[in-house]
Amino acid sequence: MTQVLRDAGCTVTPFAPPPGFKDITELLDSGKTIDDLVDFSRAEPIAEEAPSKEQEQVAEPEPVVDAMGDLSHQISKVLARTELDESTRLLRVSQMLSQFNHEDKFDKGRLVNWREFLNEPVSEEYDWVIPNLIERGERIMVVAAEGVGKTMLARQVAICAAAGLHPFTMERIRPIRTLTIDLENPAKIIRRTSVSIMGAAINYGHTKDVNAFLLIKPSGVDLMTQNDRSIIEEHVEAVKPDLILIGPVYKSFVDPGGRTSEAVAVEVAKYFDMLRDYYNCALWREHHAPLGSSMSTRELRPFGSAVWSRWPEFGLALQPDPTAVGEYIYDVRHFRGARDERMFPTKMRRGKVFPFEVIEYHKIGK
């Protein structure tokens, strides 16, 4: 490049970092200034060859970093390297982001020796998010027909737990941080139908400082795209919730076409598992039941791919009790075998203080 400029009639004085420094960025980062550059004006000019496209593609990627703050700093350093052309800088930034997203966030599994694994000292205590109900890292899916109230149930769980109130037994518990991601309802409806829940939770709960957060996005998201995944991750990162409640499932992705519903569901389920593992939280998801001749005869399983029937640790189904007369009574059943024993309701009714009041509940197991 120096010789090209000279051939064009320019006066060129080449400078370079002193020994021990890779480039000018590293020199400046060390606290030195451009006055510390070495003058090579008396040296014979050396013709520099521009790197080929093939060389640019196999350029050594920047090291992967562990924290988002460090990643941002490293990206800034790459973008400031003016000796690299724009396409090379963008390529390296893309490599860093790709490695961060896929290597740092996704579970790589753990290889162990069986005997050593079984001999490891392990605490048998539960890491409860909500005592006797939801443990950290677990997945709950609630299935019901339209209008039964699965969204109101999720709000009751989110607000009560954040206020330090067990959403079913109404006993005081340790308050947690919750994030509700509503992909269906506009803000006005959410406000009208939730104000009484918040007031009652504060009145009966453990604290008035309720760390219950709400992301309102009635247009839904497409978790098949990196852009919408980034939106979710930005808010989860800001809240750092113990429990994420999101629904409905059908508003969380757009079928891209050309793939089976099973393949699409697997990809979305893996993304939710990544959120659960990376942020060490529990998940509560809403889903619709398949159509039937009436709400009381719908199949008690998630609509669509069978992935959603296999995915949760606890699969709950709300169904109106056809024998109830004069009030709204719901049976709480299970569309899959539970993976542990918990105190889930078996029968609820529409409440006067909260959306739901428990009539009966008992332990369920494998």
Side-chain angles (χ1 to χ4, degrees), residues 1 50-53 56-57 59 62 75-96:
M1 181 62 73
S52 66
K53 290 295 181 183
E56 290 181 0
Q57 294 299 319
E62 296 293 326
I75 289 175
S76 298
K77 288 179 65 175
V78 172
L79 294 176
R81 293 185 60 178
T82 55
E83 79 279 8
L84 301 176
D85 61 43
E86 183 178 5
S87 62
T88 302
R89 295 198 300 269
L90 292 176
L91 174 64
R92 293 197 179 186
V93 169
S94 176
Q95 290 172 331
M96 294 166 66

Side-chain angles (χ1 to χ4, degrees), residues 15-18 23-24 27-28 32-40:
F15 290 87
D23 52 36
I24 188 171
L27 177 77
L28 296 176
K32 295 184 180 296
T33 69
I34 59 174
D35 294 333
D36 295 297
L37 292 171
V38 178
D39 183 355
F40 279 83

Side-chain angles (χ1 to χ4, degrees), residues 290-301:
L291 291 173
S293 57
S294 71
M295 286 195 298
S296 61
T297 61
R298 286 196 180 190
E299 297 177 68
L300 298 178
R301 62 176 177 82

